Amino acid sequence: MDFRKNALRDERTFSLTLLAFVLLAQAAQGQAVLLQIRPHIGDTLRMHLSQTVEMTGTTRGARTDSMRSMTSIEVFTRAIAQQWTSTGTLMQAITDSVAISPASEASLADLKRRAMQSKRVWIRVSTDGAMELVYDADPNSELRHIFGEMPAVLTRNSVSVGEKWTREMQIPLSSEPGAVGAVRATFQLDSLGKNGDIAYISMRGTMARINTPGAAPAGPGYGTSGQLAGTIQIDRRLGWITDSKSSIIVRTTIASAPTRYGEPERAPMQVRTKITQWIRAMRAR
């Protein structure tokens, strides 16, 4: 009898403990949290950027022409949180190494030249994730391209699991000097990790070319549109994005040049550009 009583008591204790864990998990998932980028002063964050750009172009007609190219780049950097300001955290970023593939003779010579320099830049990171380049002595540095074009991705309001927010931003189109693409992205807080320390966010959006003052207008038969998707992980204790994966697919239609008299008109070229990016970060031990 005592054995049965002890077994029943242990079973009730286990059930109550399990129920408590379930209730705590539900409470953590239901609470509104504030998502902020706010690293601790003095922390050194090591980051690894991997980016691949794949471009394919096809012209269909009497004869199908196609072209394809792929370029990848890897950048290892460190970012040191130096000072909190009213507009964000002032950080010093240092490039440790850069690798480009395929590597041409010109790109290798350029990398060698930059390796002789002290590549340090100052950036200001706001709590919503926007990055502003404060100082960079090298106008062609990789860090200028990485940090100088990072728009805000977070909302300044507290959000609950399942809640969405929308961000509209503009990004330069590398294929068209001076041209700008308008991006509209919707973010969602999908879940929170143990104790709410890790926030898991998903993102989907669209992009379209917009005409801006100073940019050459798009010619007849020209069009650009795109879709983007990705995931973000925020370590709320660290105050930083520790994992970010994104994929952008841009489709461009380029009308063919006028043909000579008597020649058949050529079909427009369809260009597909896929940009895949993965950024990982961790605190240096």
Side-chain angles (χ1 to χ4, degrees), residues 218-236:
Y222 188 97
T224 300
S225 63
Q227 297 83 38
L228 56 152
T231 59
I232 298 172
Q233 292 182 23
I234 299 177
D235 187 325
R236 299 181 62 227

Side-chain angles (χ1 to χ4, degrees), residues 121-140:
V121 303
W122 289 89
I123 58 176
R124 183 179 292 109
V125 186
S126 65
T127 56
D128 58 11
M131 294 188 181
E132 174 191 4
L133 196 63
V134 179
Y135 173 75
D136 183 2
D138 182 1
N140 297 313

Side-chain angles (χ1 to χ4, degrees), residues 79-93:
I80 306 168
Q82 300 282 3
Q83 180 184 354
W84 280 328
T85 69
S86 59
T87 55
T89 306
L90 191 63
M91 307 184 72
Q92 186 183 53

